[in-house]
Amino acid sequence: MNQHTAQGMEDAPDAESAILEFARTEPTLGQAAVAERLRARGIRISPSGVRYIWQRHDLETAVKRLQALADRVPEALTPEQQRLLERGQLSARLASGVVADESEAGNSAGGAAEGDTPSRHALILHVAAERFAAQGYDRTSIRDIARSVGLLPGSVYHHFPAKEDLYLAIHREGFQRVMERVRQAAAEGSDPWDSLRRACEVHVSAMVEGSPVDRITGHSLAMIGDHELYDKITDNRRAYELVFRDIIGGLPLAPDVDRTLLRLTLLGAMNWVAVWYREGKRSPQQIADMMVNMMRGGVEG
């Protein structure tokens, strides 16, 4: 601690308890705001002095202060504070590489700009998908997304020139993620039917339980009303459908079964789950297994 900060602490023996009280009651206040409020109370301390106290108690970021509050009294967080905490936790996980799918978003969704961290690129995708899912495409602005991420709108435009580019990047990323997981699941199957079952479990689970990026992509598989958007993601959809074409191509079927129609029927049924699914009765995995079993009973040779 520098001399100025130390002097401030000497003049305010109760500063530490006051700072910790602000951490509990107003955890999103910055160090300058806390120092200013303390000065209004007659407690002299600099912003760096506030930060020094926070660091001593491992509270130097708003996310840490929110987490400490949530650990003590979970219901004390407002909805906005809860969202801020969740975004902060996600950002930390992205930066540390814990969430592999998210941290690789810059590679499969157009790439982060040179000199920028992939985690920021991925975080924008994640939060934008949240906002599009909650408010709809037309009612969501770049300003809304930037505010939710904690950036200026210009920083979002640095990664995505327009809202449509961001929306399409979410779809490309969603298709890439689920396609990789479907391929991996199918490769682990013990036989062709087991490979199909595993692939379908991944597909349905991603649509109803996955990240916001996964769910936006899944909903658009079933409910694309914008033909211009459909045209722009056709290549992604086709590449994904080819994965199921290859899996179904390996099934032992009766000679008169149309494999193309079988594939389209199965994908159509699974895609519609995003529309009618309600949590509680059957799990996504159970739904996928039942679909495959019903289909197998009708077409197995």
Side-chain angles (χ1 to χ4, degrees):
M1 186 165 54
N2 60 38
Q3 183 176 358
H4 175 73
T5 302
Q7 180 63 38
M9 292 297 295
E10 289 172 3
D11 292 342
D14 57 342
E16 183 164 353
S17 61
I19 290 168
L20 296 179
E21 178 63 23
F22 272 116
R24 289 188 291 270
T25 59
E26 299 188 71
T28 58
L29 281 182
Q31 60 194 46
V34 171
E36 182 177 350
R37 296 197 182 194
L38 289 176
R39 284 196 295 271
R41 294 185 184 182
I43 300 175
R44 293 189 298 150
I45 188 169
S46 66
S48 60
V50 173
R51 182 170 180 78
Y52 171 76
I53 296 299
W54 280 345
Q55 289 174 328
R56 284 179 54 187
H57 295 270
D58 196 26
L59 297 170
E60 65 272 16
T61 68
V63 172
K64 287 184 175 182
R65 296 191 292 278
L66 287 167
Q67 185 62 66
L69 179 59
D71 290 342
R72 288 193 302 271
V73 190
E75 63 274 15
L77 295 185
T78 67
E80 181 59 33
Q81 288 175 336
Q82 184 63 44
R83 287 192 292 270
L84 179 60
L85 175 59
E86 290 171 357
R87 289 195 296 271
Q89 291 170 331
L90 173 64
S91 183
R93 292 166 67 198
L94 291 172
S96 64
V98 174
V99 186
D101 286 343
E102 299 281 2
S103 63
E104 294 169 0
N107 296 326
S108 56
E114 185 176 354
D116 289 317
T117 61
S119 62
R120 175 175 290 187
H121 186 92
L123 186 59
I124 292 172
L125 286 179
H126 181 94
V127 173
E130 284 184 330
R131 299 273 65 77
F132 288 141
Q135 301 170 195
Y137 177 79
D138 292 333
R139 292 190 298 275
T140 301
S141 67
I142 289 292
R143 186 174 297 278
D144 294 333
I145 295 166
R147 186 184 304 114
S148 297
V149 179
L151 298 173
L152 295 174
S155 297
V156 177
Y157 284 121
H158 177 67
H159 290 267
F160 304 97
K163 185 172 72 169
E164 182 182 272
D165 296 311
L166 177 52
Y167 197 63
L168 291 172
I170 290 171
H171 283 80
R172 287 192 295 270
E173 176 63 17
F175 277 117
Q176 184 65 30
R177 289 185 198 175
V178 72
M179 186 159 55
E180 291 173 358
R181 293 200 294 265
V182 164
R183 282 174 173 160
Q184 181 178 354
E188 295 171 354
S190 58
D191 58 58
W193 282 106
D194 187 45
S195 293
L196 179 62
R197 177 184 62 79
R198 291 170 180 265
C200 291
E201 287 180 353
V202 170
H203 181 103
V204 176
S205 297
M207 294 178 69
V208 300
E209 292 183 334
S211 72
V213 172
D214 295 329
R215 294 196 298 272
I216 282 286
T217 305
H219 189 268
S220 291
L221 280 168
M223 297 289 288
I224 288 186
D226 186 331
H227 294 291
E228 290 187 7
L229 173 62
Y230 183 87
D231 290 341
K232 291 176 181 178
I233 66 172
T234 295
D235 290 343
N236 300 106
R237 289 177 63 118
R238 184 178 295 117
Y240 182 63
E241 290 179 4
L242 287 177
V243 176
F244 276 89
R245 185 196 67 178
D246 293 342
I247 296 172
I248 290 174
L251 295 176
L253 303 179
D256 60 341
V257 172
D258 186 323
R259 293 176 187 265
T260 298
L261 184 57
L262 175 63
R263 169 174 55 84
L264 295 175
T265 300
L266 179 59
L267 284 172
M270 290 195 299
N271 291 343
W272 206 250
V273 175
V275 178
W276 57 256
Y277 176 77
R278 295 296 181 271
E279 185 176 0
K281 188 171 183 180
R282 291 189 177 94
S283 71
Q285 293 79 9
Q286 290 172 326
I287 291 171
D289 292 351
M290 291 181 70
M291 285 182 171
V292 173
N293 289 339
M294 287 188 292
M295 185 165 288
R296 182 175 182 176
V299 299
E300 185 175 20

